[in-house]
Amino acid sequence: MIQMTNVVKRFGGQTVLSDISFSASKGEIFGLLGPSGAGKTTIINILTNQLDADGGSYSTGVTSMETGLMLEKDGLYTRLSCLDNLNVFAGIYGMPKQKSMDALESVGLKDAANKAIHQLSNGMRQRMALARAILHNPKVLFLDEPTSGLDPTTAKGIHILIESLRDRGCTIFLTTHNMDEAVKLCNHVALLHKGKIVEYGVPLEICTRHNAMKTVPDLEAVFIKLTGVGLE
């Protein structure tokens, strides 16, 4: 469903992505892990056609109307209520307004339907951005650190929702700094450092390959071993 082959991206004279190759099958959760500035956002922007690559090939296999996006800049209308925000997008997608309430309920925001976006806590706003991303039942979903800053109980609820979307056949591209999250959710992960993939595969197999297996798989230890830096 999602693939990149030998993708290169340059800004001016600086190469920010070098020979990037990976793939994710339908119904898979694919994790992209790396510190800030590694190139994660650039990869998402290329896959969602917000940037052109300077070399290589890439595809998501779906149209923009079949893609869901939850990015760092949520683009929500801050003076509108949660429900009105989703109704705007329901109209764009030609969907009944009941779908807006269904999406809010799925992320635990049904009781905040009439609350303005500017009145939401950071965690609630994050869940609101996820509700908008899944409103139209996308075939491919891009999630940029969807549980960052959330309390453990709320994060667990988001994990359950992500897994249910996967089980319905949605392909999910996930960036995260949470190594436990990556091991729990992802079928495959790529470790990205300075625009290059330094490891790629099944999380447990990566950890075993680098002898980083302790009581639990430790992707952070693998990344430090390969790059000399942490993921934060």
Side-chain angles (χ1 to χ4, degrees):
M1 178 68 74
I2 300 175
Q3 67 83 26
M4 271 193 159
T5 305
N6 306 124
V7 165
V8 174
K9 180 61 184 177
R10 303 181 186 89
F11 290 118
Q14 182 181 8
T15 299
V16 296
L17 294 178
S18 178
D19 198 29
I20 299 295
S21 297
F22 62 82
S23 63
S25 302
K26 180 180 179 181
E28 175 178 352
I29 301 175
F30 175 83
L32 184 63
L33 315 179
S36 298
K40 301 190 300 296
T41 300
T42 301
I43 287 176
I44 290 178
N45 286 342
I46 290 173
L47 285 170
T48 54
N49 296 313
Q50 299 176 75
L51 280 177
D52 292 326
D54 295 312
S57 61
Y58 53 93
S59 173
T60 62
V62 297
T63 67
S64 59
M65 293 292 284
E66 297 171 312
T67 302
L69 293 171
M70 179 188 170
L71 304 179
E72 183 178 0
K73 295 182 179 179
D74 56 43
L76 297 169
Y77 300 110
T78 58
R79 294 188 179 183
L80 295 183
S81 69
C82 295
L83 184 59
D84 286 342
N85 261 274
L86 293 189
N87 283 341
V88 169
F89 289 92
I92 292 173
Y93 291 115
M95 304 179 69
K97 291 184 177 180
Q98 178 56 40
K99 292 293 185 181
S100 299
M101 189 59 76
D102 292 344
L104 287 174
E105 187 171 8
S106 71
V107 299
L109 288 178
K110 184 177 180 180
D111 292 341
N114 296 316
K115 184 174 287 189
I117 297 299
H118 69 81
Q119 296 176 309
L120 302 181
S121 66
N122 288 338
M124 292 172 72
R125 183 159 176 161
Q126 205 156 344
R127 284 185 281 154
M128 178 61 198
L130 178 57
R132 190 187 66 181
I134 65 175
L135 173 68
H136 58 301
N137 298 317
K139 294 181 179 179
V140 174
L141 180 61
F142 290 89
L143 301 176
D144 190 7
E145 300 191 27
T147 60
S148 176
L150 299 183
D151 63 84
T153 300
T154 303
K156 183 177 180 180
I158 297 298
H159 289 169
I160 292 171
L161 175 58
I162 291 172
E163 289 172 325
S164 71
L165 292 168
R166 175 202 61 199
D167 293 343
R168 295 204 298 265
C170 183
T171 304
I172 299 167
F173 186 103
L174 171 75
T175 71
T176 181
H177 283 155
N178 187 325
M179 297 302 97
D180 291 337
E181 181 171 79
V183 171
K184 173 179 169 55
L185 295 178
C186 297
N187 301 97
H188 293 86
V189 297
L191 306 185
L192 189 70
H193 179 59
K194 294 183 178 179
K196 297 181 180 180
I197 291 178
V198 296
E199 229 339 337
Y200 170 59
V202 177
L204 180 58
E205 292 177 356
I206 290 174
C207 293
T208 302
R209 188 157 61 240
H210 291 276
N211 298 316
M213 185 102 170
K214 298 178 182 177
T215 56
V216 293
D218 191 348
L219 284 174
E220 179 86 18
V222 171
F223 195 86
I224 292 172
K225 177 182 177 182
L226 293 170
T227 67
V229 299
L231 281 162
E232 292 297 330

